Amino acid sequence: MTASGIIDSETQIDEPVGNDGNRGQIVIVFNPKGGVGKTTIAVNMAAMLQVRKGQRVLLVDCDTVTGHVASSLGMENVRTVADAWTEDLSTGMAESFAEIAAPHLNGVSVLVMAESPLHTEILEPKRVAEAITTACRVYDWVIVDMHPDYGPLNQVIFERADKIIVPVTPDVPAIRAAVQLREVAVELDIRERLAMVVNRANSGVSVADMERTVGMPALAEVRSAGMLFVRAANEGRSAVERFPKEKVIEDIENLCDRMMATRDSGATKSGQGFMGIFSGGRNTNPSMRAS
Ligand SMILES: Nc1ncnc2c1ncn2[C@@H]1O[C@H](COP(=O)(O)OP(=O)(O)OP(=O)(O)O)[C@@H](O)[C@H]1O
Ligand SMILES: [Mg+2]
């Protein structure tokens, strides 16, 4: 399997991932506030890991209400998990997520849970969580874009996550939502897996202040990129492929490098969490200051 190739199902079954055969990582992108950049960051992280880092990536659109992963990648009418599992009832088959997913031209496997928000009963949360975990046998990264809610589907996926990336824009509603998430995370026992990504970071608000206010370490910053993300999505591509030389893509690369570093250091849900890795989160990006 090459970085940009399409995975065939036999390869997936026979070949475990990772340098040392370890399973892939489940990274969810979540903030209970809408419009903070969850989908943008999920799509571009997935593309960066696949295209530039040679990783095998499954990008899951778990937003069954307003999901727009596939449309932002120019993939219309994809077969969804709800479609596949409904068909499987009559065929007696049980397709894995790797088999249901559709390949994007950039090599990322894209999986959409459901097209219609009204017909999701078949997406039994535990079964979805199991299927995501199984996908880790054949992908290096399973990146999950979430709908902003704390419903049963999201809760079981939180449980399985190795990392929870929390995009936060420097505005009061987004910061409040992240503080709420930090509090909820204590109850769900996932606090150590949370890491903030300050999105639209070049707005004059200090990242250190955001870390203090939100109470989460900042894993990385992503600057405001004007219309670049929208323009790329309108062309059905990620900004990583469409605008590879832009500064904002350096930010995405930086974010991915740090995620890969946490994987390699073992700082996941069973490890020390993000706090200890980036010197208390003081990982501000000097180039951001200049822009
Ligand atoms: N760093 C950025 N620079 C410029 N535009 C951005 C940036 N991040 C996000 N956007 C834009 O902001 C809008 C909202 O982003 P996005 O759809 O990723 O948010 P979301 O958190 O997934 O929203 P929802 O909760 O509705 O799913 C999009 O038009 C996206 O292109
Ligand atoms: Mg979204």
Side-chain angles (χ1 to χ4, degrees):
M1 177 60 209
T2 61
S4 58
I6 295 168
I7 299 172
D8 68 75
S9 52
E10 278 184 18
T11 313
Q12 290 162 13
I13 290 160
D14 295 341
E15 193 188 320
V17 298
N19 298 335
D20 52 6
N22 284 341
R23 68 166 180 82
Q25 298 275 290
I26 300 172
V27 177
I28 70 180
V29 186
F30 181 75
N31 182 320
K33 168 89 175 57
V36 294
K38 293 181 288 295
T39 303
T40 304
I41 287 174
V43 163
N44 285 282
M45 249 172 40
M48 175 60 68
L49 287 166
Q50 178 88 34
V51 173
R52 218 178 269 184
K53 304 293 167 184
Q55 305 285 296
R56 292 182 286 191
V57 181
L58 176 66
L59 173 61
V60 184
D61 188 348
C62 235
D63 181 342
T64 56
V65 184
T66 49
H68 50 114
V69 166
S71 61
S72 76
L73 287 170
M75 301 167 78
E76 300 298 343
N77 304 317
V78 293
R79 188 160 171 258
T80 67
V81 175
D83 294 338
W85 284 1
T86 305
E87 285 163 32
D88 291 355
L89 289 176
S90 48
T91 60
M93 286 174 64
E95 293 166 275
S96 70
F97 276 5
E99 287 163 327
I100 302 166
H104 187 263
L105 286 175
N106 66 13
V108 171
S109 295
V110 177
L111 185 74
V112 177
M113 281 295 147
E115 204 56 65
S116 160
L118 295 179
H119 304 291
T120 56
E121 316 76 38
I122 196 151
L123 301 174
E124 204 272 308
K126 282 222 165 68
R127 184 177 175 196
V128 172
E130 276 306 319
I132 286 178
T133 305
T134 304
C136 290
R137 290 184 52 224
V138 292
Y139 292 97
D140 300 300
W141 299 91
V142 178
I143 312 273
V144 188
D145 182 27
M146 309 275 271
H147 185 255
D149 69 69
Y150 293 107
L153 180 59
N154 281 7
Q155 283 198 32
V156 290
I157 298 172
F158 285 145
E159 258 173 47
R160 305 285 176 126
D162 293 291
K163 300 174 175 65
I164 302 168
I165 299 290
V166 186
V168 186
T169 44
D171 56 85
V172 172
I175 290 173
R176 283 222 172 110
V179 170
Q180 179 204 60
L181 171 59
R182 190 199 68 213
E183 288 163 2
V184 169
V186 173
E187 197 171 324
L188 297 177
D189 199 20
I190 53 171
R191 169 92 163 82
E192 290 298 302
R193 302 176 214 168
L194 298 178
M196 173 167 63
V197 170
V198 181
N199 190 22
R200 301 182 183 272
N202 46 336
S203 59
V205 177
S206 128
V207 169
D209 281 350
M210 285 194 57
E211 287 181 317
R212 254 193 308 278
T213 314
V214 173
M216 248 182 242
L219 184 58
E221 300 165 60
V222 176
R223 75 197 65 210
S224 232
M227 294 298 283
L228 287 193
F229 289 123
V230 173
R231 284 172 57 198
N234 286 346
E235 294 176 27
R237 297 161 80 187
S238 75
V240 170
E241 302 138 73
R242 180 61 184 82
F243 302 109
K245 296 207 164 68
E246 291 289 338
K247 287 268 183 207
V248 72
I249 301 307
E250 274 176 38
D251 298 340
I252 299 283
E253 180 159 26
N254 189 28
L255 163 60
C256 289
D257 286 343
R258 286 176 172 164
M259 279 213 323
M260 291 173 76
T262 64
R263 176 194 61 185
D264 295 341
S265 71
T268 60
K269 62 186 173 190
S270 56
Q272 67 192 99
F274 291 105
M275 272 300 188
I277 298 175
F278 299 111
S279 52
R282 295 290 166 272
N283 51 319
T284 51
N285 178 352
S287 80
M288 199 78 67
R289 304 285 158 270
S291 61

